[in-house]
């Protein structure tokens, strides 16, 4: 009888085994510090998943290019080595040309216009622009407008001529700097501080939170408050991984991600103000504000870049994005 009981317990254990299957692991890789809009968003996503899907899904966040830099992460995603990332919209060029839209200089007048466009039908459609290449966009997350930092004081386009600027991997950004007769260099984010510190380059463009959290302001005596372009992100996953998730879990994961993005966007808005002030208070970097006339010079010199890329991006898409300024 005891032997029969033992066999019964053993069989019951075997039948129950699939119920305690290992949780699905979502490795979320990014390149920025944890105390940034994207870093906070990723941590919030992990927190929500831990609360709601404990034992079923586990999120592992890898900040500061610990797992992959932005130049490798998308290939790694297609190979199944990482499940989520949120590269800057400038870094998808080899997967789609449409997202180059977001790099056009002076396209959006403020973040409210960016938000309106991203929520519009045209903006939402872009989330699927890499589906055929195996990537699905799950949402946008803001960082903010970019500023120009340099080892020299820059007020007008002529001041930037002849200088070397680090850019993200985007031909539009390259054209933008060539338009002011500067030299653009495509380099990974993880190398920017050293390039600036060793004076291998003169400057770079980035948001207040990245300039602050990566200490660029400590090695760049001038920051021109140009607000000339956008740095936002797309949270992406591999289409295969996403579609393989059980329907109910996929819904829960998406809900948690949407909430984390809303939180990250609040952080972005606040950091745009706070980190700017911290940089000013540090006294390490002088913030140059432009007069309307100086700003108009930048617009005039950089705006022809729109025409240059119109055939790749599409005039309708550019018009839709531009019109979001006037709603
Ligand atoms: C990021 O914010 O993810 C990095 C931006 C950059 O490469 O400059």
């Amino acid at each position: 009888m005891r032997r029969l009981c033992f066999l019964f317990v053993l069989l019951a254990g075997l039948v129950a085994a699939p119920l305690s299957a290992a949780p699905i692991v979502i490795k979320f890789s990014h390149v920025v510090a944890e105390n940034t809009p994207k870093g906070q968003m990723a941590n919030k996503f992990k927190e929500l998943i831990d609360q709601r899907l404990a034992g079923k899904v586990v999120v592992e966040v890898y900040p500061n290019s610990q797992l992959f830099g932005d130049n490798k992460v998308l290939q790694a995603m297609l190979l199944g080595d990482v499940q989520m990332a949120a590269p800057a919209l400038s870094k998808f060029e080899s997967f789609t040309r449409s997202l180059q839209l977001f790099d056009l200089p002076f396209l959006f007048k403020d973040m409210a216009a960016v938000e309106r466009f991203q929520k519009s039908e045209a903006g939402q459609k872009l989330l699927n622009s890499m589906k055929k290449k195996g990537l699905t966009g799950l949402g946008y997350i803001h960082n903010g407008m970019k500023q120009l930092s340099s080892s020299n004081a820059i007020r007008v386009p002529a001041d930037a001529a002849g200088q070397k600027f680090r850019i993200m991997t985007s031909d539009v950004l390259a054209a933008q700097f060539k338009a002011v007769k500067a030299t653009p260099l495509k380099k990974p984010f993880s190398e920017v501080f050293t390039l600036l510190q060793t004076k291998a380059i003169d400057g770079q463009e980035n948001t207040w939170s990245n300039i602050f959290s990566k200490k660029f302001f400590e090695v760049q005596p001038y920051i021109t408050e140009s607000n000339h372009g956008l740095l936002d992100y797309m949270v992406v996953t591999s289409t295969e991984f996403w579609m393989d998730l059980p329907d109910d879990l996929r819904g829960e994961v998406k809900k948690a991600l949407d909430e984390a993005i809303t939180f990250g966007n609040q952080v972005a808005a606040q950091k745009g103000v706070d980190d700017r002030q911290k940089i000013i208070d540090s006294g390490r970097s002088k913030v140059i504000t432009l007069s309307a006339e100086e700003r108009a010079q930048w617009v005039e010199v950089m705006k022809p870049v729109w025409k240059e890329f119109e055939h790749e991006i599409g005039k309708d898409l550019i018009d839709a994005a531009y019109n979001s300024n006037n709603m």
Side-chain angles (χ1 to χ4, degrees):
M1 185 64 187
R2 282 207 10 222
R3 190 173 284 175
L4 214 64
C5 277
F6 175 74
L7 262 175
F8 179 75
V9 169
L10 197 73
L11 273 172
L14 281 176
V15 170
L19 293 178
S20 55
I24 294 164
V25 177
I26 298 179
K27 291 186 184 173
F28 193 130
S29 168
H30 68 81
V31 299
V32 288
E34 287 190 88
N35 193 19
T36 55
K38 182 163 58 180
Q40 296 278 301
M41 179 277 285
N43 290 352
K44 171 63 85 180
F45 175 54
K46 176 183 171 44
E47 187 187 310
L48 294 175
I49 293 291
D50 283 351
Q51 278 167 15
R52 298 173 188 175
L53 296 175
K56 295 182 186 165
V57 180
V58 174
V59 176
E60 295 172 0
V61 181
Y62 298 89
N64 292 310
S65 312
Q66 266 168 27
L67 193 59
F68 293 107
D70 278 340
N71 51 345
K72 300 258 165 66
V73 75
L74 297 176
Q75 287 305 334
M77 190 170 277
L78 294 176
L79 294 172
D81 293 337
V82 60
Q83 286 68 39
M84 276 193 199
L89 292 164
S90 318
K91 296 181 180 174
F92 291 101
E93 202 171 74
S94 55
F95 287 80
T96 174
R97 292 275 156 179
S98 314
L99 293 178
Q100 295 187 115
L101 169 78
F102 292 101
D103 282 337
L104 295 177
F106 299 102
L107 178 64
F108 297 105
K109 72 171 185 211
D110 53 26
M111 293 309 290
V114 173
E115 176 80 8
R116 279 194 292 274
F117 174 69
Q118 289 176 352
K119 287 209 161 124
S120 72
E121 202 185 325
Q124 289 295 302
K125 221 168 133 191
L126 287 175
L127 293 173
N128 290 325
S129 57
M130 297 174 285
K131 266 233 161 100
K132 283 195 193 127
K133 301 257 172 93
L135 296 179
T136 293
L138 298 175
Y140 296 99
I141 163 153
H142 300 319
N143 188 323
M145 292 293 178
K146 288 179 290 187
Q147 321 302 338
L148 209 54
S149 78
S150 172
S151 32
N152 306 293
I154 296 179
R155 282 201 164 274
V156 290
D159 296 333
Q163 291 196 33
K164 288 190 210 133
F165 288 92
R166 176 269 173 176
I167 56 163
M168 295 181 271
T169 49
S170 155
D171 288 346
V172 173
L173 298 181
Q176 170 195 272
F177 278 103
K178 283 182 190 156
V180 298
K181 301 192 171 27
T183 305
L185 295 161
K186 292 179 181 172
K187 295 283 179 189
F189 188 58
S190 54
E191 292 177 21
V192 181
F193 181 84
T194 306
L195 289 167
L196 293 172
Q197 191 184 36
T198 58
K199 303 218 177 324
I201 55 173
D202 302 292
Q204 61 87 46
E205 51 167 15
N206 234 303
T207 56
W208 292 114
S209 67
N210 278 350
I211 294 173
F212 180 72
S213 61
K214 287 294 176 188
K215 302 190 190 316
F216 299 162
F217 71 102
E218 292 185 1
V219 288
Q220 291 273 265
Y222 298 99
I223 302 174
T224 306
E225 190 165 28
S226 50
N227 290 312
H228 63 280
L230 173 72
L231 173 53
D232 263 16
Y233 310 107
M234 189 182 282
V235 181
V236 283
T237 186
S238 113
T239 307
E240 190 182 339
F241 168 77
W242 192 240
M243 293 323 293
D244 278 354
L245 285 178
D247 288 352
D248 56 333
L249 285 188
R250 193 188 312 114
E252 285 292 325
V253 170
K254 179 69 167 61
K255 191 161 167 275
L257 185 67
D258 289 345
E259 286 175 40
I261 286 176
T262 302
F263 172 74
N265 286 344
Q266 286 160 5
V267 174
Q270 196 55 48
K271 284 204 157 287
V273 178
D274 294 350
D275 289 351
R276 174 183 181 277
Q277 195 54 48
K278 284 182 195 159
I279 290 169
I280 293 171
D281 293 347
S282 76
R284 302 287 290 264
S285 204
K286 180 174 162 39
V287 173
I288 298 171
T289 43
L290 300 178
S291 67
E293 192 274 326
E294 285 163 344
R295 192 176 156 79
Q297 287 193 41
W298 288 94
V299 176
E300 190 188 329
V301 179
M302 287 183 165
K303 194 109 180 258
V305 170
W306 293 24
K307 223 26 225 159
E308 198 179 325
F309 287 86
E310 193 180 277
H311 67 288
E312 288 184 19
I313 300 169
K315 184 167 178 346
D316 289 353
L317 198 55
I318 297 176
D319 288 346
Y322 185 65
N323 289 339
S324 66
N325 289 311
N326 307 318
M327 285 171 172

